[in-house]
Amino acid sequence: ILNLTNEPEILSLSIQYTNFSIYIVGLIGLGLFLYQKKIKITNVMIILSLINFFPVMFGIRLLFKPEILIFTTLVWVLFFLEMYIKNNKSYLLIFTIPPLVIIFTAKANSALMVALFLIFYFLNNIYNINKRIFFISLIIFFGLFILVSFENYEANNFLIFQHQSPEEFTGKANLDYLYRIDINSIIEEPFRQSQRNSYVGALFLDTFDDYFGNFWTDDSSLFYKDRINFLNIKLRPYLGLFYSFLFYFFIIRLIIKEKDKKYFILPFFGIIVQMGLSQFTQYNPENGDVAKAYYFSFFLVVTFALILAKLFSKYQFPSYFLSFLFLFSIIFILGFPKSQNNQRIEYLELNNEINIFCSLNNYLFNIDSDCLDAEEKFCFFNFQEIKKIEIKNSEYVYRSYFNQDSKNLFKNQSSYEIKNLNQCLDFISDGYEPKQTLNIVRLPVVNLITLFSFLVSIIYSIFNIKKLNQIDFTNEIN
């Protein structure tokens, strides 16, 4: 059913399905990672629920970028490493290889961040546990890394370190960009580009909000449209700034106070790498893009989860109450509540038509989409004029689409040329189907084997978690 009428919606929906699937696997890993640190399962479940509203994690689920994949692979690497150190089971170190290969072939700056952290806080410990297994794992890792890199190179003629940035993102920042903070500009103009000369200022405005306008402050986003402002339009960025201040305050406090501080130092590996890049490349003087929090969101979420765990263990009931305030604040930051607008409802209904949960969404959100099966959608999208509502320059606009080309339907070995809607519906009801026109030219075999190995290690760990960590979930839940 993919055509010019619905291509943006179908591609966007595909990204959301894929990102959400990856995210769920990551949440499971993060949950087990927290539980093996002796955090109560009730608190683990609350923490995972709050993470759904952690702005940087909400953001990376919306983008077609590798950070969501790095989040999932990283939390499982941390879980496997913690279990290996605790149990000295060789296969647990082997389990880290596929997710690490995925990380180290996904994005160069992310790979550097993860490598630095693992070298500083895990390398020596892992090496001393079992030197033989360490070297075997290292050989397997490099072998698989080379195979995946070669397969990726065959597909796109680029290696991991050959990222080509647009010309505007190849500048170098001045040294004072790293430490300059203009409090007045943050207070008076907490919006995009006001902090283009301040890494710290941009980071504070972006960690719990969308300072760079990629997500819910993008004027072509439904999150941005029809939002109701209370008191002042600056209230949303001020709330984000307040939570960022609390977040980094707790990080510094726990680094000073805690004996095991490696997971509280995590975000600084991301910050330092991005600061370093700004001195050589990736700096855009128009907006200071290099300071985006989602570049190291996979670090931020682990630290955020552990800060919440500390607060829940020490101030349980006040923390539960504050969690509700946090949720409502984040929902407000994301662009709610909304003013009534029938055009927004039309926009939602059109997008929902291609959703596999179309009927359920109609019920949940009180909308009225035409929930047709795939074959009927093929007919309507190809042989009927579609008046489609879109968002252009922050305004709802209507645009008409009408695909007038004839189409062929197939059944067994026969085919029939269809020229109008009624013909299409008749032949579809008789068992004819559209031909699959998009095909995979070359299967990424090594990548798929790596992914499959990673999933097998996850399944094995889930089914053997009691043996690994002596966990009795039943007693904890009770």
mmCIF file of all heavy atoms in Angstrom, residues 249 263 388 408:
data_model
loop_
_atom_site.group_PDB
_atom_site.id
_atom_site.type_symbol
_atom_site.label_atom_id
_atom_site.label_comp_id
_atom_site.label_asym_id
_atom_site.label_seq_id
_atom_site.Cartn_x
_atom_site.Cartn_y
_atom_site.Cartn_z
ATOM 1 N N PHE A 249 22.857 18.024 39.783
ATOM 2 C CA PHE A 249 23.210 18.216 41.196
ATOM 3 C C PHE A 249 23.320 16.868 41.901
ATOM 4 O O PHE A 249 24.294 16.607 42.624
ATOM 5 C CB PHE A 249 22.163 19.084 41.892
ATOM 6 C CG PHE A 249 22.291 19.101 43.393
ATOM 7 C CD1 PHE A 249 23.245 19.883 44.009
ATOM 8 C CD2 PHE A 249 21.450 18.313 44.184
ATOM 9 C CE1 PHE A 249 23.364 19.889 45.397
ATOM 10 C CE2 PHE A 249 21.567 18.313 45.560
ATOM 11 C CZ PHE A 249 22.530 19.102 46.174
ATOM 12 N N TYR A 263 28.676 4.464 37.726
ATOM 13 C CA TYR A 263 27.476 4.708 36.931
ATOM 14 C C TYR A 263 26.958 6.133 37.082
ATOM 15 O O TYR A 263 26.144 6.588 36.274
ATOM 16 C CB TYR A 263 26.387 3.701 37.293
ATOM 17 C CG TYR A 263 26.757 2.286 36.887
ATOM 18 C CD1 TYR A 263 26.864 1.275 37.844
ATOM 19 C CD2 TYR A 263 27.020 1.976 35.565
ATOM 20 C CE1 TYR A 263 27.223 -0.014 37.480
ATOM 21 C CE2 TYR A 263 27.367 0.691 35.189
ATOM 22 C CZ TYR A 263 27.480 -0.300 36.148
ATOM 23 O OH TYR A 263 27.832 -1.576 35.776
ATOM 24 N N LYS A 388 -5.740 15.001 1.922
ATOM 25 C CA LYS A 388 -4.894 14.714 3.077
ATOM 26 C C LYS A 388 -4.508 16.001 3.799
ATOM 27 O O LYS A 388 -4.155 17.000 3.167
ATOM 28 C CB LYS A 388 -3.627 13.985 2.589
ATOM 29 C CG LYS A 388 -2.616 13.645 3.654
ATOM 30 C CD LYS A 388 -1.429 12.955 2.997
ATOM 31 C CE LYS A 388 -0.299 12.746 3.977
ATOM 32 N NZ LYS A 388 0.892 12.163 3.320
ATOM 33 N N ASN A 408 -1.511 -3.828 -11.511
ATOM 34 C CA ASN A 408 -1.764 -5.240 -11.783
ATOM 35 C C ASN A 408 -1.999 -5.989 -10.485
ATOM 36 O O ASN A 408 -1.268 -5.790 -9.506
ATOM 37 C CB ASN A 408 -0.602 -5.870 -12.534
ATOM 38 C CG ASN A 408 -0.515 -5.406 -13.969
ATOM 39 O OD1 ASN A 408 -1.542 -5.198 -14.617
ATOM 40 N ND2 ASN A 408 0.695 -5.231 -14.479
#
